[in-house]
Amino acid sequence: MRIAWLLLSLMMAWPAMAAVETGSLESLLQQGATYQADSPREPLAQIEALMRQLPKSPEVGAAYETCFLEALAQGGSLAWQDFLCRQLSLVGGDASVTPMVKRLQEPDTADIARFVLERLDSDQVNPALCAVLAEIKGDVRIGVVNTLGVRGDTEAVNILAPLLKDNSRELDEAVIAALGQIASDKAIGILTDALSTTDGTREQRLYQALLVAADKRARQGDQTNAIKVYQQVARSSYIPLRRAALVGQVEHGPQQSFPLLVVALGTPELKETAMQLVAQQRDAQLVRQLAGQLKSLPPESQIQLLHALAATGQSSCLTQVIALLARAEGPVRIAALQAVGALGQAKAVELLANIAAGTTEAEQEAARAALYGLQDPAVDERIVSLLPAMPSKIQLELVLAAEQRRIGAAAPALMSLAQESDRRLQRAALSALAEVAGSEQLVPLTTLVIEQKNQVALDTLVKATQRLGQTEQVTILLVEAGDAASDVAVQTLIFQGLGRLGSDQGLAIVQKATESQDEKLRTEAIRALAQWPTPAPQPILLSIARSPGKLTHRVLALRGYVDMAVIKGQDQPQAAVLDLVQAVAVAQRVEEKRYVLGALPRCACPAALTLAQDLEADAALQVEAQMAQVQISANLPSNQRDLARQTLTKIHQGSDNESVRQAAEQALSELER
């Protein structure tokens, strides 16, 4: 029971405790009392840190306010007083009003005093400002008017209204702006009445203030009165204000949007704003109504409205867009096609495919882009359903769409078209199958390759296989087909396919064919090994290159061997260079040695430099060997920069070839960056 009583006592004493917890602040204020504008800010920074940790408690805020006011009363530099006032703007209340109003009387402190008064959470601020308004003059008076406007003091309207008759233009401008910010019925009435007795720039300022008032009333939820004020502003002769009024009326009075936008679409100075507003509409009925204006607009405006309608994403206007498309020409027709692409549904597929099959290149491109971009989920299904039955020109466009849209469900229909006699349609179907074929199409594709000896079908088969990750399965299909085939052309295609797929099982088959008695078959087998995607055939190729066989075969094998060394050089440059040393030893012609030099920069390491330097001794290879050293040096890792610098300097100073010297100089320059 005693513990509970103690806890209750502590809770009741919390305000007093909060007042006591100002010791740190008071100490810091004493340290900062001598602060000057050029003094170290450490005490001020500590006070700011303390303020950031301030509990959200009225009692604590009041205690801190007292501390700051006491420090302010003790004087100090203007920089110190300015700092104290800024802290008061965070915690000040009723107690700060009178001191700040007094500071309004002094030019040096008036601005910071207004800064604080604008932010004080006190009902005493507005009456105090109104009371002092008659006592002050000049810029300070204008500043107080601005502050009353910022605070939205409705009671200040009676004080401000007579000041509209003041001869000071600056004060008149401030009063007009303040009345707009206050935005009460009376303030709006005063501004409206003033319009009848003025013109020119003052009239513009009055309309600007009314626009501010309308925006404020709209934010407050008073849409009815906001619209009335926007309508007043719309009568201004100043175009930016009319545009702003149009935006306000459309945003806050949607029931009146259609007639407003129709008029604005036909008004040159408002048309651009109207188009932007149309693009923002999401009301399907309103968008459909606006689309009905297409037929009555000039071509340039039709294009703009079509773009705006497309931006809405509302397919409710598609009927009007398609109707315009049927009779439009040139840029308007292109814009209509783009709008169909943005808004169209599955029912637009056939229309767009027909136009895409036309003869005008610009229209074809626009129709294709529209067809490929249709967002309706039913579009893909519609394309698949139309594929078998359309004329070949339309089929071609649907095939292209199936490829671009990656429609997997189109694969069976595409497979059928891939066997058509129309070569263009067949090639397009095969290209699409490379992107969309499934596992079930791999066998018929293999059959197509074999039966038609079709190179394009082979390309499709390889791409689809790699995409589906079914290399081993298709390798088996090709091996089985090769066993049954006696036609060299068919076997050649099979070797190409096996070579591009790069399976170990395929490697054994192709290697065996390098021993064939048929020279053409042997050549194609070696070519397939030379194009293998991995270094696995390197030993086979080196053996062929060393053999006393036909020169063509040896050159093919050696070049393939070098290419595979380059693949290895991406991760193992030293091992790759060892392979290239073997290639140089086997090479019997300068051309093959040049090929090795061309590979060395892609295997950059000290050993590559050594090999290039060795080849430099051959007069026929000197220039290529020096250039290779430059390129290798440029590609060496940063921890071998000294070696690169030495090599490049030697080449730059010793080469007789101007191109080589320039390349070495450039590489040295880049090395030093």
Side-chain angles (χ1 to χ4, degrees):
M1 187 70 179
R2 179 176 175 79
I3 293 174
W5 182 84
L6 286 171
L7 288 173
L8 180 61
S9 299
L10 287 169
M11 291 173 66
M12 293 177 66
W14 168 248
M17 292 175 65
V20 173
E21 292 299 322
T22 56
S24 298
L25 177 60
E26 292 170 353
S27 174
L28 291 170
L29 289 171
Q30 290 175 4
Q31 296 175 40
T34 58
Y35 176 77
Q36 300 290 330
D38 56 353
S39 300
R41 287 193 84 258
E42 185 177 352
L44 278 61
Q46 293 180 20
I47 293 172
E48 290 169 341
L50 195 63
M51 292 292 287
R52 286 194 292 271
Q53 301 169 7
L54 191 68
K56 292 184 178 180
S57 161
E59 293 80 11
V60 175
Y64 274 53
E65 179 185 26
T66 300
C67 292
F68 288 126
L69 286 171
E70 289 175 354
L72 191 62
Q74 294 171 13
S77 70
L78 282 176
W80 172 239
Q81 294 180 54
D82 183 273
F83 174 78
L84 293 172
C85 286
R86 290 183 182 278
Q87 308 317 306
L88 281 169
S89 73
L90 302 175
V91 297
D94 293 346
S96 298
V97 175
T98 299
M100 290 301 111
V101 170
K102 288 181 180 178
R103 297 177 76 81
L104 285 174
Q105 313 294 331
E106 299 295 331
D108 289 341
T109 59
D111 285 342
I112 189 61
R114 286 196 308 102
F115 176 86
V116 178
L117 288 165
E118 283 181 9
R119 290 158 179 78
L120 286 183
D121 183 15
S122 170
D123 294 336
Q124 297 178 20
V125 173
N126 294 348
L129 288 173
C130 288
V132 79
L133 193 59
E135 303 172 9
I136 53 179
K137 302 294 181 183
D139 291 343
V140 176
R141 194 180 205 190
I142 292 171
V144 170
V145 169
N146 291 333
T147 299
L148 288 168
V150 170
R151 290 184 65 87
D153 181 13
T154 58
E155 298 299 321
V157 173
N158 293 330
I159 303 294
L160 294 174
L163 298 180
L164 282 176
K165 300 176 182 178
D166 194 276
N167 291 326
S168 167
R169 182 177 62 83
E170 291 79 6
L171 181 59
D172 184 65
E173 290 178 3
V175 172
I176 290 172
L179 290 171
Q181 289 176 297
I182 292 169
S184 66
D185 289 343
K186 190 168 186 178
I188 292 170
I190 292 170
L191 292 170
T192 303
D193 291 342
L195 280 170
S196 62
T197 59
T198 191
D199 55 14
T201 56
R202 188 170 188 268
E203 180 185 66
Q204 182 178 317
R205 289 196 297 274
L206 288 165
Y207 276 121
Q208 180 66 55
L210 285 168
L211 179 64
V212 171
D215 288 341
K216 183 171 183 179
R217 296 298 283 264
R219 288 194 302 272
Q220 293 172 342
D222 185 3
Q223 312 297 335
T224 301
N225 283 307
I227 294 296
K228 290 178 181 178
V229 182
Y230 284 128
Q231 289 170 345
Q232 280 184 274
V233 179
R235 302 188 191 107
S236 168
S237 60
Y238 190 53
I239 292 173
L241 288 175
R242 292 175 63 194
R243 290 171 178 167
L246 175 63
V247 172
Q249 290 179 85
V250 171
E251 288 184 352
H252 302 293
Q255 65 279 7
Q256 297 298 320
S257 293
F258 176 66
L260 283 169
L261 289 171
V262 169
V263 171
L265 288 170
T267 307
E269 59 267 27
L270 298 178
K271 183 174 69 173
E272 184 177 348
T273 302
M275 294 297 182
Q276 294 170 354
L277 290 167
V278 171
Q280 296 168 10
Q281 299 307 311
R282 295 299 178 265
D283 183 313
Q285 182 178 355
L286 175 59
V287 171
R288 183 172 63 252
Q289 289 178 306
L290 291 167
Q293 300 302 304
L294 281 167
K295 58 183 179 293
S296 60
L297 294 173
E300 181 184 351
S301 297
Q302 286 178 327
I303 293 171
Q304 291 176 307
L305 183 54
L306 284 165
H307 290 324
L309 292 170
T312 68
Q314 299 298 316
S315 59
S316 58
C317 64
L318 190 58
T319 300
Q320 290 94 329
V321 173
I322 292 175
L324 179 64
L325 175 63
R327 63 178 184 274
E329 297 178 352
V332 176
R333 187 167 169 82
I334 299 300
L337 284 169
Q338 293 169 342
V340 172
L343 305 170
Q345 299 170 320
K347 63 183 180 182
V349 168
E350 193 169 353
L351 168 68
L352 293 172
N354 272 282
I355 296 173
T359 56
T360 304
E361 185 177 351
E363 286 186 15
Q364 281 184 312
E365 291 179 1
R368 285 171 181 161
L371 181 56
Y372 303 161
L374 289 174
Q375 297 298 310
D376 185 352
V379 168
D380 288 354
E381 183 181 346
R382 180 64 175 164
I383 290 173
V384 173
S385 68
L386 290 173
L387 260 174
M390 291 288 104
S392 60
K393 288 178 65 175
I394 309 300
Q395 281 181 317
L396 178 61
E397 296 302 329
L398 295 173
V399 167
L400 295 174
E403 179 177 0
Q404 291 295 322
R405 295 175 67 91
R406 302 294 192 270
I407 305 175
L414 293 170
M415 195 66 241
S416 297
L417 293 174
Q419 301 175 60
E420 289 285 334
S421 57
D422 184 325
R423 298 298 296 273
R424 189 180 177 199
L425 184 57
Q426 183 190 59
R427 292 176 72 90
L430 286 169
S431 176
L433 281 166
E435 304 298 334
V436 306
S439 301
E440 57 274 19
Q441 275 76 52
L442 296 179
V443 171
L445 276 172
T446 305
T447 302
L448 186 62
V449 171
I450 304 304
E451 290 182 351
Q452 295 191 7
K453 304 175 188 176
N454 192 318
Q455 180 70 55
V456 178
L458 177 66
D459 294 340
T460 295
L461 176 64
V462 170
K463 290 177 183 177
T465 299
Q466 292 170 335
R467 176 174 54 79
L468 294 167
Q470 298 198 13
T471 297
E472 296 302 327
Q473 296 89 321
V474 174
T475 296
I476 293 171
L477 291 175
L478 290 173
V479 168
E480 291 175 349
D483 291 341
S486 57
D487 189 323
V488 173
V490 172
Q491 290 182 317
T492 296
L493 284 173
I494 290 172
F495 291 159
Q496 291 177 11
L498 292 173
R500 290 168 63 183
L501 293 175
S503 166
D504 290 343
Q505 184 176 358
L507 179 60
I509 299 299
V510 178
Q511 180 182 4
K512 183 179 179 181
T514 62
E515 302 169 2
S516 171
Q517 297 302 311
D518 187 308
E519 183 177 315
K520 183 177 180 182
L521 199 60
R522 192 162 64 250
T523 300
E524 292 303 328
I526 295 171
R527 195 186 308 278
L529 289 176
Q531 296 172 352
W532 212 262
T534 70
Q538 263 194 307
I540 306 169
L541 291 169
L542 185 60
S543 176
I544 295 171
R546 283 174 172 161
S547 71
K550 189 175 179 181
L551 178 61
T552 303
H553 294 166
R554 288 187 280 115
V555 171
L556 271 174
L558 187 60
R559 289 189 172 225
Y561 177 83
V562 171
D563 291 343
M564 289 171 191
V566 171
I567 295 174
K568 188 185 296 183
Q570 296 173 3
D571 300 316
Q572 308 171 60
Q574 299 281 359
V577 174
L578 291 176
D579 291 344
L580 295 177
V581 170
Q582 294 265 41
V584 170
V586 171
Q588 297 179 5
R589 301 191 310 158
V590 170
E591 286 80 0
E592 277 65 63
K593 293 178 181 178
R594 286 198 179 105
Y595 199 74
V596 172
L597 281 169
L600 281 173
R602 289 174 284 174
C603 311
C605 63
L609 270 179
T610 300
L611 180 54
Q613 290 163 356
D614 291 344
L615 290 170
E616 186 182 355
D618 188 332
L621 296 170
Q622 186 179 58
V623 173
E624 289 89 345
Q626 290 175 346
M627 189 63 81
Q629 291 174 62
V630 172
Q631 294 169 344
I632 293 166
S633 298
N635 292 339
L636 285 173
S638 58
N639 61 357
Q640 294 170 355
R641 184 167 293 177
D642 289 342
L643 175 61
R645 187 180 294 105
Q646 293 170 11
T647 303
L648 291 169
T649 302
K650 179 181 176 183
I651 295 293
H652 182 252
Q653 294 175 353
S655 177
D656 295 329
N657 185 278
E658 181 62 25
S659 296
V660 171
R661 288 200 303 273
Q662 288 180 0
E665 183 177 10
Q666 178 66 27
L668 274 168
S669 175
E670 292 179 0
L671 197 66
E672 299 303 329
R673 288 179 184 174

